[in-house]
Amino acid sequence: MATLVLGAAGAALGSVFGGVGLLIGRAAGAVAGHLVDQALFGAARRVEGARLSDLQVQSSTEGSVLPRVYGKVRLAGQVIWATDFEEVQSTETEGGKGGPSVTTTEYSYFANFAVGLCEGPVTRIGRVWADGALLETGNLTMRVHPGSESQEADALIAAHEPDAPAYRGTAYVVFERLPLAAFGNRIPQLSFEVLRRLPGIEDHVRSVCVIPGSTEFGYDPEPVTRVLGDGLYAPENTNADRLAADWTVSLDELQALCPRLEWVSLVVAWFGSDLRAGACTIRPKVDDPTKETLERDWRVAGLAREEAERVSLVEGRPAYGGSPSDASVVAAIRDLKARGLKVALVPFILMDIPAGNALPDPYSGAAGQPAFPWRGRITGDPAPGRPGSADGTPTAAAQVADFLGGAAPGDFAVSDEAVSYSGPEEDWGYRRMMLHYAHLALAAGGVHAFLVGSEMPGLSKLRAGPGTYPFVEGLRTLSGELRAVLGPATALTYAADWSEYSGHRPEDGSGEFRFHLDPLWADPAIDAVGIDVYHPLSDWRDEAGHLDEASGRSPYEPDYLCGNVRGGEGYDWYYAGDADRRAQLRSAITDGAAGKPWTFRYKDLPAWWSNLHYDRPGGIEAASPTAWVPESKPIWLTELGCPAVDKGANQPNVFYDPKSAQSALPHFSSGARDDMAQRSYIDAFQRMLDPDHPDYRGGNPLSGVYGGRMIDPARIHLWAWDARPYPAFPALSEVWSDGANWQRGHWLNGRLGAITLEALIAAILADNGFAEFRTADVHGVLGGAAINEIVSARGALEPLLAVFGVDAADGGDAIVFRGRARPADAALDPARFVETEEEPVLRCVRAQETELANEIVLRTSDPDRDYHVSAAASRRLAGASRRTSTVELNAVVDASSAEALTNRMLRDLWAGRERHELALPPERLDLEPGDIVTLPREDRTVPLFLERVGDGAARRIEARLAENRMRAAPPVPPRPVAAAPATRFGPPAVRIL
């Protein structure tokens, strides 16, 4: 049997882990060996925790177990109180006046009842299903009691019961006069999406960026209906709930998930037409010029729908949504402020350049610009570095002037919620967009912050002459005008790309370096330094022995990632090219005699922020500093994000979008979805920059000028939260064409509210009153989990630990939970093995293949499919075994993660068939059960997992071959989801015949 020795952990251990403490010295019942034990015997074995189906059927049974919820799950619950049905009689008489009359009596029934769900308190109740279909609750009287210890009795129950119970500690829902006609005059089978937040990144989220930016009515808090034809209607912005706008559904969830949320950056997009600055226009567009809507008409910058251009089509569908209707932007700003949130308005350029265009490429001179590129590539023509480049000539200034346009503040006027423009109609320059949105902010009653631009290094680094940057000067002029329009209460900044904010180093061999944005950062109209931060925090590979493996332990390890917030690539070293990156040939970042390497370290924000800046024209440091005053202004992280994809922290700035020529996966990524990569990346920055974090690492110094932190913790704007609510987005692919990008994208929807395995272990133990434990190398993320039976902490944890490859061992003063995906803890030297009379120096035993499971099936709840039970399987193609092992886990796990878990379990199972016994000298006291050690063989070095250590004249070791490599899973295609938008009704079409 694969077992684990537990040392003296005390009586508390036995009571919490259901008797494990009684097995001291007997080496039995180990959590780590559970999966192996089950797989070695029988043709088809099952490893089961609480049953998945037990949570899906509503009942009313005395003595039923009250479930415990962790994260987000779907529960049916128990009917804990009800009255008799209420019968309403309605009578109608037809006919009469001398003729026969018909009297019809109809009966309607209503139910008053309460459904107990789980132990409280819970964070929120989300969607509700009745008989398997989503229930529209907006027109029902449904009250949620989260289950606090101080909650009062429900008013309806109190009205019927003299001593009404408050059901304190129980989360429950009360329905008052629920109409039963739609359910066959019976109480339907109800199930509820229940969220109980656990400690995590959500506790420290203060600001998010709200997208998509291109959505005609997606920001409108009021429902808008699309007209399809006579009497035919479809939802325009009520795709998740017929009675509530998508905006409302999405923002309600965001605020429930992030209780400390203070700021929302509202992204609003117009569309750029060309990468050549002098030829680029920026204008609002629509997704369909023939669309007809009720409640609101689309109108932006004085354009009606029929006057606006249409966005490009990809495979017959709009490449983007249209620009947000001005009225919806005003309504969104007002709604955000009514919610108690501060608003930063972010005018944004999306490049609408379709594939197959004939536009001259400023970077190559060839016909045809890249499809749907990043706005940061807008530049002079020809681009810097090309023969005849506009860079460094007056031509650059002229091209930048054309890009900016000539719109002036006096060309705009505000009337009610509309902004009018009286300047030249053909002027669709950058200034017109910015000044329009500044005046629209006034129409909404003002905003708290306004961005004068976002990520345009191709323009900001374009020179008209030595040290002359016309776009930077244009931003300064525009900022002064925006200040006059918006007033002193609105903070202004520019959101510089992380590769742009600190300076410009032309690639011309001159050695020149300029702090080219310093005039803007020092300008009195600018309140903060804005940086969109997508710094790489890892350099992880799949192959063994890569440079970060030993120090990093895993790509999710907090110490590793936190250390690379101000270390690693972009701080200590860089790669000179792709070949060096593949070979991990790192070049140190130095500054020679000048001794200021921080100048070239884009990660060294403290040094950049706290030092004087000296330009280096021609490579020679100037005698006088720039206008930047050290520590004079705070830094805002105007964007911070990481894609939820394998090795996302290797290159978090890239995005996956097949329509764009710049679509890419991070360096060395398999392309598999990996929510843990995103969560770990955000967590590292929170630990480094937020002084309120319990594990604050001290990476955010105080200013000696203004007294605040270098980086305002409230201004770490996470990218991105979508106004299209999950799971309608991404499920409704017929409504939104970019839904497939969500799997590997930066979206936080559907990911915030998830729980880490480490937090889940801690919560289960805490709920059982057990505090003497530690975790190490425990990584993994789940949507949620539920315990719906009387079970010990061990019983609850055992299936989870087996599936995720985590072992529990006695650590002397505490139980230690350690993940197996980690570097070896020690190395064995065969020359030091102890020979005894009774045993050989090394015994190796391999189990017969036919005794092992050839396939592992993992059954979980799929969050992307309304929590229905889903199965993932991993199968060995080689070998004679035909056995199957089925693991049923009462947890919410996405399909990609479930696939990766089955692959890990199968590899671990087959690695563990090889067992070793050996003896070591008694001085090897450093080894203990649960350690992973390496054993050299003739052809390779193998990892061994120590299952038992016996002390005597020699230390007798029992071990098995281990699978401790962290391997990327292959991408899992999204499973089709049967989803449809909510029904939308409109006025009847009346025809008189």
Side-chain angles (χ1 to χ4, degrees):
M1 298 286 286
T3 55
L4 188 70
V5 173
L6 293 177
L13 178 62
S15 62
V16 172
F17 277 83
V20 175
L22 303 178
L23 304 180
I24 296 171
R26 291 171 48 193
V31 168
H34 185 76
L35 179 60
V36 178
D37 295 341
Q38 294 294 325
L40 284 174
F41 301 98
R45 305 292 297 177
R46 303 178 69 88
V47 178
E48 295 190 13
R51 296 296 304 277
L52 288 165
S53 58
D54 292 346
L55 300 176
Q56 300 294 323
V57 180
Q58 178 178 287
S59 62
S60 182
T61 305
E62 185 175 355
S64 294
V65 174
L66 194 63
R68 279 179 177 163
V69 168
Y70 307 91
K72 189 186 294 183
V73 300
R74 180 174 171 177
L75 295 177
Q78 299 275 334
V79 176
I80 58 175
W81 175 87
T83 65
D84 292 336
F85 286 178
E86 177 184 343
E87 182 181 87
V88 176
Q89 174 181 313
S90 60
T91 302
E92 184 176 302
T93 301
E94 296 179 350
K97 293 187 177 180
S101 63
V102 177
T103 299
T104 303
T105 300
E106 295 184 346
Y107 298 89
S108 300
Y109 294 92
F110 302 84
N112 300 313
F113 61 97
V115 180
L117 298 176
C118 59
E119 286 188 9
V122 299
T123 305
R124 76 186 296 254
I125 303 296
R127 292 172 290 165
V128 181
W129 292 266
D131 292 341
L134 279 173
L135 179 67
E136 294 175 353
T137 59
N139 57 356
L140 301 177
T141 302
M142 185 186 89
R143 290 185 294 276
V144 175
H145 299 267
S148 72
E149 293 297 335
S150 60
Q151 69 186 13
E152 299 295 330
D154 183 80
L156 178 64
I157 299 177
H160 286 79
E161 307 289 345
D163 298 313
Y167 298 109
R168 289 176 178 164
T170 299
Y172 70 103
V173 175
V174 174
F175 286 91
E176 184 170 348
R177 300 196 80 242
L178 175 69
L180 299 179
F183 311 111
N185 288 326
R186 60 176 179 81
I187 294 178
Q189 280 283 334
L190 295 169
S191 56
F192 304 81
E193 186 179 55
V194 181
L195 170 68
R196 174 191 169 195
R197 285 193 313 104
L198 296 187
I201 61 172
E202 295 82 0
D203 297 319
H204 310 286
V205 174
R206 314 258 194 104
S207 181
V208 298
C209 300
V210 170
I211 60 171
S214 56
T215 171
E216 292 183 354
F217 299 102
Y219 289 165
D220 203 313
E222 296 299 323
V224 177
T225 307
R226 188 188 320 159
V227 180
L228 301 180
D230 285 349
L232 298 176
Y233 305 94
E236 177 66 19
N237 69 346
T238 54
N239 296 282
D241 186 326
R242 181 174 65 89
L243 301 175
D246 292 340
W247 168 271
T248 301
V249 176
S250 180
L251 266 291
D252 285 351
E253 181 179 21
L254 173 62
Q255 287 191 284
L257 291 171
C258 304
R260 299 184 65 195
L261 187 69
E262 299 178 36
W263 281 87
V264 163
S265 291
L266 186 65
V267 177
V268 288
W270 287 10
F271 297 91
S273 63
D274 203 305
L275 290 178
R276 297 167 297 163
C280 183
T281 60
I282 305 166
R283 64 176 72 228
K285 294 186 178 184
V286 296
D287 56 26
D288 183 353
T290 65
K291 182 192 296 183
E292 181 182 351
T293 53
L294 302 176
E295 295 94 15
R296 289 196 195 271
D297 293 324
W298 184 91
R299 194 169 188 86
V300 178
L303 294 180
R305 178 178 296 277
E306 60 274 10
E307 299 172 306
E309 293 185 4
R310 184 179 193 174
V311 297
S312 300
L313 301 180
V314 176
E315 298 180 352
R317 302 182 65 183
Y320 301 98
S323 299
S325 171
D326 280 350
S328 71
V329 174
V330 169
I333 292 171
R334 290 177 174 171
D335 182 67
L336 289 169
K337 292 191 290 187
R339 292 170 176 269
L341 299 172
K342 298 176 182 177
V343 183
L345 192 59
V346 185
F348 206 81
I349 300 174
L350 293 172
M351 301 305 293
D352 188 15
I353 302 175
N357 67 85
L359 298 172
D361 185 351
Y363 292 93
S364 68
Q369 295 181 9
F372 305 106
W374 174 43
R375 64 193 175 280
R377 292 181 59 80
I378 301 173
T379 188
D381 185 34
R386 284 196 58 226
S389 172
D391 186 38
T393 72
T395 302
Q399 292 179 0
V400 168
D402 289 340
F403 176 82
L404 291 169
D411 296 333
F412 299 85
V414 176
S415 177
D416 296 327
E417 296 181 358
V419 176
S420 60
Y421 171 71
S422 58
E425 285 300 325
E426 68 278 5
D427 185 353
W428 288 106
Y430 184 79
R431 290 174 53 85
R432 180 171 178 181
M433 177 181 70
M434 288 293 168
L435 288 166
H436 169 78
Y437 278 115
H439 285 84
L440 195 66
L442 288 183
V447 292
H448 302 86
F450 190 95
L451 269 60
V452 304
S454 172
E455 293 184 12
M456 289 189 282
L459 281 168
S460 71
K461 295 178 180 181
L462 195 62
R463 299 168 294 182
T468 304
Y469 295 88
F471 185 66
V472 176
E473 288 306 309
L475 289 177
R476 291 186 65 196
T477 301
L478 179 60
S479 298
E481 294 169 342
L482 292 171
R483 168 65 65 222
V485 172
L486 293 166
T490 299
L492 299 179
T493 191
Y494 169 73
D497 186 63
W498 56 279
S499 64
E500 170 193 17
Y501 83 93
S502 59
H504 176 215
R505 188 180 192 178
E507 297 180 5
D508 56 7
S510 66
E512 179 162 307
F513 184 89
R514 303 271 184 176
F515 293 93
H516 69 303
L517 287 179
D518 274 12
L520 179 65
W521 300 140
D523 194 285
I526 295 296
D527 296 279
V529 175
I531 309 174
D532 289 353
V533 170
Y534 295 93
H535 295 166
L537 296 190
S538 66
D539 186 29
W540 206 261
R541 319 293 172 95
D542 285 332
E543 63 270 15
H546 67 84
L547 293 181
D548 281 20
E549 183 174 40
S551 61
R553 302 189 69 82
S554 95
Y556 315 120
E557 176 60 40
D559 290 343
Y560 168 61
L561 295 174
C562 286
N564 283 334
V565 170
R566 202 184 304 167
E569 184 177 4
Y571 188 95
D572 299 312
W573 50 266
Y574 69 98
Y575 286 125
D578 289 341
D580 283 2
R581 183 178 296 277
R582 288 190 294 271
Q584 286 197 299
L585 298 177
R586 297 170 173 177
S587 301
I589 297 176
T590 60
D591 191 30
K596 298 177 181 177
W598 59 265
T599 303
F600 308 109
R601 292 172 170 169
Y602 58 77
K603 284 185 178 178
D604 200 351
L605 296 178
W608 181 93
W609 174 74
S610 60
N611 280 289
L612 290 169
H613 297 168
Y614 292 86
D615 287 335
R616 299 182 186 184
I620 307 300
E621 187 169 271
S624 301
T626 69
W628 170 253
V629 176
E631 303 184 9
S632 59
K633 295 179 181 180
I635 295 174
W636 296 352
L637 303 192
T638 39
E639 291 181 23
L640 173 73
C642 179
V645 69
D646 173 56
K647 301 179 188 67
N650 278 9
Q651 196 182 8
N653 60 305
V654 298
F655 59 92
Y656 179 80
D657 183 357
K659 77 173 185 292
S660 172
Q662 293 186 251
S663 175
L665 295 171
H667 296 304
F668 311 107
S669 173
S670 71
R673 174 181 171 182
D674 188 349
D675 291 3
M676 191 67 190
Q678 181 188 68
R679 179 169 286 267
S680 301
Y681 184 91
I682 294 170
D683 176 66
F685 276 96
Q686 290 177 338
R687 291 172 190 253
M688 288 295 294
L689 301 178
D690 189 350
D692 291 343
H693 197 286
D695 188 31
Y696 174 55
R697 305 294 180 95
N700 196 358
L702 287 166
S703 168
V705 177
Y706 57 85
R709 295 285 174 180
M710 172 185 70
I711 296 174
D712 183 350
R715 305 310 305 272
I716 301 174
H717 298 252
L718 298 187
W719 185 273
W721 182 268
D722 206 304
R724 300 170 292 181
Y726 175 87
F729 177 82
L732 298 178
S733 56
E734 73 277 16
V735 177
W736 299 297
S737 60
D738 60 338
N741 301 344
W742 176 86
Q743 288 282 339
R744 303 178 179 94
H746 290 73
W747 281 274
L748 297 169
N749 307 64
R751 296 184 172 106
L752 288 182
I755 55 176
T756 64
L757 179 61
E758 185 177 33
L760 178 57
I761 291 171
I764 290 174
L765 293 176
D767 285 345
N768 283 271
F770 191 73
E772 290 76 24
F773 70 94
R774 295 192 301 271
T775 59
D777 301 300
V778 173
H779 306 295
V781 65
L782 307 86
I787 299 173
N788 62 319
E789 60 185 3
I790 299 175
V791 64
S792 67
R794 176 191 170 179
L797 287 173
E798 189 173 37
L800 285 164
L801 302 184
V803 167
F804 282 89
V806 177
D807 305 298
D810 175 24
D813 59 344
I815 296 298
V816 180
F817 295 87
R818 289 196 288 178
R820 285 180 218 149
R822 68 179 193 268
D825 303 298
L828 297 182
D829 181 2
R832 301 274 295 163
F833 289 177
V834 176
E835 184 175 0
T836 64
E837 295 181 0
E838 298 83 7
E839 301 288 346
V841 173
L842 176 65
R843 184 199 303 268
C844 298
V845 179
R846 173 174 287 193
Q848 187 173 326
E849 286 191 3
T850 55
E851 295 178 348
L852 298 173
N854 197 49
E855 181 180 36
I856 289 184
V857 178
L858 176 63
R859 286 166 47 86
T860 61
S861 296
D862 189 339
D864 303 327
R865 298 171 63 84
D866 289 347
Y867 304 95
H868 291 310
V869 176
S870 182
S874 184
R875 184 180 186 86
R876 255 178 86 91
L877 298 180
S881 173
R882 294 296 180 265
R883 299 170 185 264
T884 298
S885 178
T886 300
V887 181
E888 188 158 304
L889 191 65
N890 197 2
V892 178
V893 182
D894 67 85
S896 183
S897 298
E899 189 92 2
L901 290 170
T902 59
N903 291 340
R904 189 212 64 77
M905 286 190 287
L906 190 63
R907 288 196 307 267
D908 187 66
L909 171 64
W910 280 76
R913 66 181 170 151
E914 187 172 309
R915 310 183 60 76
H916 297 70
E917 295 181 15
L918 55 99
L920 292 174
E923 60 265 24
R924 287 304 305 264
L925 295 175
D926 57 308
L927 298 181
E928 58 186 22
D931 283 349
I932 294 176
V933 298
T934 56
L935 174 67
R937 289 183 172 176
E938 293 181 0
D939 57 338
R940 60 193 174 104
T941 298
V942 297
L944 297 179
F945 175 74
L946 305 190
E947 294 184 327
R948 181 175 182 176
V949 179
D951 287 323
R955 303 202 82 196
R956 194 70 193 171
I957 302 295
E958 294 180 14
R960 67 176 180 83
L961 209 62
E963 169 59 44
N964 70 325
R965 295 289 306 145
M966 184 168 290
R967 303 173 189 268
V972 176
R975 299 176 181 177
V977 178
T983 305
R984 190 69 184 163
F985 301 105
V990 178
R991 296 292 183 267
I992 299 176
L993 302 179

